[in-house]
Structures are given as structure tokens and as C-alpha cells.
Amino acid sequence: MNKVGVIFLEKFLYSCIFAKIMAQKEDQFKKVLSHAKEYGYIFQSSEIYDGLSAVYDYAQNGVELKKNIRDYWWKSMVQMHQNIVGLDASILMHPTTWKASGHVDAFNDPLIDNKDSKKRYRADVLIEDYCAKIEGKINKEVAKASKRFGDAFNKEEFLSTNGRVVGYQEKIKTILSRMGASLEKEDLKDVKALIEELEISDPLTGSKNWTDVKQFNLMFDTQLGASAESSMKVYLRPETAQGIFVNFLNVQKTGRMKIPFGIAQTGKAFRNEIVARQFIFRMREFEQMEMQFFVKPGTQKDWYEHWKETRLKWHKSLGMGDENYRFHDHDKLAHYADAASDIEFNFPFGFKELEGIHSRTDFDLKAHEEYSGKKLQYFDHEDNSSYTPYVVETSIGLDRMFLAVFSNSLVEEELENNTTRTVLKLPAVLAPTKAAVFPLLKKDGLPEVARQIIEDLKWDFNVFYDEKDAVGKRYRRQDAAGTPYCITVDHETIENNTVTIRHRDTMKQQRVHISELKEIINKEVDAKNWLTKI
Ligand code: ATP
């Protein structure tokens, strides 16, 4: 074969491999969706009425996993920090809050409709997806070169010297900075022009027949009050952060907090997302876990770096693969920020934002001072001065974190006897049920002993009793539900109070005394053993 032929074949093979990886990822995501339903993690909201778009309910196991993630976050942010306290502000707030924060005027997404398919899209997402495709080409080049050069391959060097890759990177940079500048200037005509110049088509139909780009406000509103005359328009909060800002001085004074200090909060937020896809990744009703850290002006950059690192370590402490995280530092900053970065996670549909770390300056407190006419300043006893603190925010979507954990944990494993098993390898600290207890048979006093073990363990852990089907089948059910331990009571138990305890991931079984169970389970599920890795 001549050189051109070889290059063509190589290209063809790589595009086949790429297409296969994409298909596998799509397949994996479909499995995540059906597994979440089958094992009682997530249901579509009001399913009997065919559901409500981008709204989901957490089922019996889902609610436990979600609570454990929330607790893991709360423990690390509030309980482990003497200078961070919690708050639970209301969802409904005085409407001026949202005027001051800029949400009434600027919490918009640029939308665009396709005239042929009548489908609606976020214009910025169409452009970002176009760039993600170019990034896919870069990844392909990297994979090719890494194969060619083997151990001698230096990725950093390749990225900065390979002509084609450098060209791709520059193209992405040019597109994103033009989009950022146009959105900043509200030049929506140019956003449309960019879509047309790049020949971006409707992902579903391929049509390039687009409407103009328009701004769309994402806040849900409703009426507060019973009578038409006295009622007032209020909003469902689109972020939890503002509840913290308006309470800043209350908390600081009553808690006698000294700067630097933080206020943390978890709770529901609502956004009327234009395109809500990808399951619980983008919902219209979701939950956030946010912490606002108040610092002395001028120190915000250091704290911003500190929280970027600390939050990344928190993620990594769960052992879901360090390679699955990366930072994405923002070029285009929100109106309130002087630095911003996302922690992106490798979801089944690629790297996407999981958490945002923002240096929010004094924008919010100053705006609330201006709109409320109340002073929101801090008196610093150390240098006898008053100032408006700067804020560094860490903001993570609880549902997105759920999706990250759940999708990363779901694996199909080939076993030695040529069978497969589905295992949900949830980090044990987050697993909804920590142990399942089985009597080997439904007779000979075995169920009574198993139930007694449940009675003893339930004070410390969520435990589950199962006596139906053969033990092998019961193991498989618990593997798929994500339970780290299975305990089996058999005839030997009656003689000497020992049971077998089986580990979900290794499938190894151990004979132990009943009195040892609590310690064995605790070792694996105690948050302390996980959080000390931070
Ligand atoms: P995106 O760019 O994905 O719309 P964002 O930058 O608007 O997100 P933030 O306002 O920074 O998000 O919110 C903080 C976190 O809240 C995000 O990192 C994400 O985890 C979560 N989040 C935001 N919007 C949604 C949503 N519609 N559904 C689920 N989680 C969300």
C-alpha cells in the first residue's frame, strides 16, 4: 500500500475507534438511566402522567445516596471548619434580592430556534459543542501519537508543538473568545453570525435554518399573597447564594465570626432551562451545595486558589479516578467575578461542569447595600477599619454530583466462570445500604439470628434483610444496588456465633464473629477514614 493509502487507513481506523468509544459511552449512559430506575434510585416526576420535562424524583435508594453525598459535603465544609457555619434560608425571598443580584436583568441564556425542526437550543451551547468536536479531533491526534511514540510520548510537548493540534487549539480559542465578547456586549447578531459562519446545523435534523438569537430569563416567578391587589410577584430562587448574602451580617454578628469565615447552605434552586437534557445533569428543579467565604479585600486570589485545591481534593477523596477531573478556568467572567473556574468531571457524555469556584468580589454585598439601604460591612478589630468583604464561592450541584458518582460506579464485570455481573461500586461511605443480612435458609432458627443482627446494626448503619431466593441471587441483587457488605447466617452461626461477610467489590468472603461486624463495616464506611485523605 502506498503512503497515502496507509494514512487513509490509519485515519479510517481511528475514526472507527472514536465512533466505537462514543457508541459505548452512549450505551453506558442508557444503562445508567435504566439502572437508576430499576434499582429504586431515580424516577421520572409524575410518571403516571407521562412525566414533567427535566424534573425527577429520588426513590428509596436515591434519597439515601443523595443524603449521604450532602452529609459528606456538609461534614467536610461545616463540621471540619471552625470558621464555617451553616444556614437554611427560604426559597422565596424578597423580590428586590433578585434585582440587586442582577438576576432580573441578566440571568438570561441566549436561545435560538431552528425554523425547520422547531427545536429550541442554547446558542452558546451549540457553539461550545462545535468546539468540543474540535477537541475530539485533538484527542484523536493525541491517541494516535501516543500509540506511535509509546513510552517516549510527551503529551504536553505534543500539544504545544504539533502543527495541526496547535491549529485546532487556536481555532477553539478564537471561537470561544469571539462568543464570549459578543455575549458580554449583548451582540446577539454576532452570535448568530458565528453560528452561520461555522455552519453549525441542528444536531437532530442537520438543518441550518436558524431564527435570530434572543435572550431568555431563566427565573420562575409566582404570586405571593391571596388577593389580586395585594399580591406581589416573587421568584423561586435560581441559586442559594443570595440567601447567604442577605444574612451575612446576621450570621457574622450573632456567631461573632471573624474574617475570614464562611457560610454554607444546601437547598433547592430552580431554573427554567431552555434545553434540559442529559437526565439529572440539567434539571429545572435541582439542589445546590454552596459555601460563600468572606475574606479581606486583596486576599481573594489566594483564597480562590485555596478553595480550588481543597474542593478538588474533596472530589478525589472519593476514589473515583483522579484522571476524571480537570479544571476549566473561565475566559469569560460573569458580571460579579474577578476569577472563576469549573471542576469538570468525565461524565458518560464527556467532561462537563460539576462544580464552580468563583471569586465574586464585593459585588453582591455592595449591591444589597445599595438596594436595601442597610450597611453590610465588617468591622475589623485588628486594623480598626470597616470594609465590605470579598467573597470566594464554591458551588456544586448535588444532583450532578449524584450523577457523577452513580455513572462512575456502574460497571459490568466479567467473572472467572465466564459470566458477568452488574455492580454499582459506590464509594462505601455514600452507599444507601451498608450491609444486607441473609439467613441461608428460611428455617432452623436462621432468620431469627439474622433479624437479631439487623436489630444490633441498625443503630449505626442502614441495613437490609433478605431471605428470598438462593444466596447467589441475593448477592447479585445487592451488588447491583451498591451495598458494600453481605452477611450470611448459616448453621455454623447457631453453633459458634460466626457469620460470613462478603465484600461487594472483591467478592471475598471471610468468617468472622458477630461481635466483629460493626467494626469491620465501620472501617469502610466511616466518613473520617475518607475525609482524612483531604
Ligand atoms: P451550566 O453552565 O452547566 O448551566 P452554571 O455555570 O450556570 O451551570 P452555576 O450557576 O455556577 O452553574 O451553579 C453551580 C452548580 O449548580 C453547577 O456547577 C452545577 O453543578 C449546578 N447546576 C446549575 N444548573 C443546574 C441545573 N439546571 N441542573 C442541575 N444542576 C445545576
Side-chain angles (χ1 to χ4, degrees):
M1 202 183 295
N2 64 19
K3 204 174 166 205
V4 177
V6 172
I7 292 173
F8 177 78
L9 188 65
E10 230 180 39
K11 271 194 166 178
F12 174 73
L13 286 176
Y14 275 106
S15 52
C16 288
I17 293 168
F18 188 66
K20 199 169 164 206
I21 292 171
M22 292 316 286
Q24 276 170 351
K25 283 198 154 204
E26 225 166 81
D27 212 35
Q28 161 73 356
F29 193 41
K30 278 189 196 144
K31 280 191 190 136
V32 166
L33 262 73
S34 61
H35 198 86
K37 178 166 182 197
E38 195 182 335
Y39 284 87
Y41 277 86
I42 296 177
F43 301 146
Q44 207 179 3
S45 157
S46 19
E47 195 190 67
I48 58 167
Y49 295 105
D50 295 332
L52 187 64
S53 164
V55 188
Y56 293 91
D57 297 340
Y58 286 86
Q60 67 277 15
N61 282 324
V63 73
E64 296 287 345
L65 173 56
K66 196 176 172 197
K67 178 182 174 299
N68 292 344
I69 297 173
R70 196 192 292 110
D71 287 351
Y72 192 67
W73 181 87
W74 191 267
K75 218 176 210 91
S76 81
M77 298 300 270
V78 181
Q79 205 171 326
M80 295 295 118
H81 287 99
Q82 288 300 299
N83 61 348
I84 302 181
V85 292
L87 181 77
D88 185 11
S90 305
I91 287 172
L92 299 177
M93 299 179 70
H94 193 284
T96 310
T97 308
W98 305 110
K99 192 77 193 147
S101 67
H103 284 79
V104 171
D105 297 320
F107 194 52
N108 301 320
D109 274 342
L111 73 79
I112 189 164
D113 290 310
N114 187 279
K115 290 185 197 162
D116 297 327
S117 69
K118 310 277 182 263
K119 292 276 175 216
R120 176 159 283 187
Y121 295 96
R122 256 174 72 173
D124 55 335
V125 172
L126 284 178
I127 296 169
E128 278 164 8
D129 285 351
Y130 179 90
C131 292
K133 280 194 193 133
I134 307 178
E135 196 160 333
K137 288 185 188 169
I138 297 176
N139 293 340
K140 250 168 49 180
E141 294 291 337
V142 169
K144 229 171 18 178
S146 145
K147 200 168 170 207
R148 193 178 318 135
F149 297 115
D151 286 346
F153 181 62
N154 179 334
K155 189 174 169 191
E156 297 306 313
E157 193 183 318
F158 179 77
L159 287 175
S160 58
T161 53
N162 179 280
R164 194 178 298 164
V165 167
V166 170
Y168 285 145
Q169 285 169 336
E170 270 165 14
K171 189 167 179 193
I172 293 177
K173 211 167 158 203
T174 312
I175 294 171
L176 291 181
S177 61
R178 176 166 158 199
M179 179 181 85
S182 305
L183 286 173
E184 187 99 25
K185 287 186 293 193
E186 292 269 321
D187 185 355
L188 300 181
K189 279 204 170 73
D190 191 56
V191 178
K192 182 177 179 189
L194 186 56
I195 288 176
E196 286 176 337
E197 277 167 39
L198 298 174
E199 300 192 6
I200 294 175
S201 58
D202 182 332
L204 291 176
T205 63
S207 159
K208 293 180 190 144
N209 193 7
W210 297 108
T211 62
D212 288 341
V213 178
K214 283 184 287 192
Q215 289 290 23
F216 175 77
N217 192 289
L218 300 183
M219 279 200 295
F220 285 100
D221 60 50
T222 185
Q223 295 296 319
L224 186 94
S227 74
E229 309 83 63
S230 64
S231 75
M232 122 167 123
K233 180 170 161 181
V234 292
Y235 299 97
L236 301 186
R237 67 179 176 199
E239 63 176 25
T240 53
Q242 299 304 323
I244 294 179
F245 294 130
V246 299
N247 277 300
F248 154 73
L249 213 52
N250 282 340
V251 174
Q252 190 270 318
K253 290 227 155 98
T254 56
R256 292 186 291 130
M257 309 298 294
K258 282 204 176 67
I259 271 179
F261 75 91
I263 305 178
Q265 157 157 253
T266 71
K268 286 275 171 115
F270 302 81
R271 295 182 188 178
N272 196 3
E273 298 280 0
I274 295 172
V275 184
R277 267 188 276 134
Q278 293 160 326
F279 194 34
I280 55 169
F281 181 82
R282 190 172 297 288
M283 303 158 89
R284 296 206 162 96
E285 174 182 339
F286 59 101
E287 195 164 334
Q288 289 185 314
M289 306 191 286
E290 296 198 307
M291 193 278 297
Q292 311 294 327
F293 200 68
F294 299 90
V295 304
K296 194 169 180 164
T299 64
Q300 73 272 20
K301 283 278 155 66
D302 290 341
W303 283 111
Y304 168 71
E305 293 302 332
H306 167 85
W307 283 111
K308 267 178 76 174
E309 290 312 315
T310 308
R311 292 302 304 145
L312 186 63
K313 281 189 196 155
W314 180 85
H315 286 283
K316 289 185 175 174
S317 72
L318 288 168
M320 300 202 298
D322 291 3
E323 69 288 358
N324 287 322
Y325 302 90
R326 68 181 189 195
F327 281 118
H328 168 229
D329 295 329
H330 287 210
D331 292 327
K332 177 190 167 244
L333 293 172
H335 58 281
Y336 51 75
D338 68 1
S341 187
D342 298 333
I343 295 176
E344 294 188 334
F345 183 74
N346 192 7
F347 286 98
F349 35 83
F351 275 94
K352 295 270 177 207
E353 174 178 344
L354 172 59
E355 168 157 11
I357 292 108
H358 310 123
S359 174
R360 292 183 77 126
T361 68
D362 56 0
F363 173 86
D364 301 272
L365 291 180
K366 279 248 169 80
H368 288 305
E369 272 195 325
E370 187 190 331
Y371 278 79
S372 67
K374 310 270 165 38
K375 270 215 163 326
L376 292 176
Q377 296 217 329
Y378 172 78
F379 182 74
D380 198 327
H381 288 276
E382 270 166 29
D383 55 12
N384 255 348
S385 66
S386 286
Y387 55 80
T388 309
Y390 270 47
V391 174
V392 175
E393 162 186 83
T394 70
S395 175
I396 172 169
L398 176 49
D399 313 84
R400 268 189 206 180
M401 185 61 198
F402 186 112
L403 182 60
V405 171
F406 194 88
S407 58
N408 189 267
S409 302
L410 186 60
V411 288
E412 203 70 38
E413 234 176 41
E414 300 274 341
L415 299 179
E416 278 170 8
N417 60 2
N418 284 335
T419 56
T420 56
R421 67 164 187 155
T422 305
V423 204
L424 192 60
K425 292 189 170 177
L426 297 171
V429 64
L430 304 180
T433 304
K434 305 302 187 199
V437 186
F438 312 148
L440 184 65
L441 300 172
K442 273 192 265 181
K443 57 181 186 182
D444 303 337
L446 305 186
E448 288 74 7
V449 179
R451 288 205 185 274
Q452 187 53 49
I453 293 176
I454 295 264
E455 283 305 304
D456 294 341
L457 292 180
K458 76 177 186 190
W459 297 93
D460 299 289
F461 316 110
N462 258 352
V463 277
F464 181 79
Y465 176 83
D466 191 6
E467 58 177 25
K468 201 170 173 290
D469 300 321
V471 168
K473 243 186 170 174
R474 286 182 253 170
Y475 282 155
R476 290 287 175 277
R477 272 203 295 270
Q478 293 307 317
D479 287 347
T483 308
Y485 285 111
C486 289
I487 296 158
T488 305
V489 172
D490 54 22
H491 291 95
E492 203 184 323
T493 314
I494 309 285
E495 287 164 25
N496 61 11
N497 277 331
T498 62
V499 289
T500 56
I501 182 162
R502 172 192 179 266
H503 193 273
R504 177 195 64 197
D505 300 345
T506 60
M507 295 197 291
K508 287 224 166 78
Q509 298 188 20
Q510 219 186 325
R511 191 95 207 163
V512 301
H513 198 270
I514 291 177
S515 60
E516 294 174 86
L517 287 172
K518 184 176 157 190
E519 202 188 321
I520 294 173
I521 300 169
N522 201 47
K523 218 172 177 181
E524 185 135 342
V525 307
D526 188 355
K528 187 176 170 189
N529 296 334
W530 295 75
L531 285 171
T532 41
K533 288 180 227 152
I534 294 183

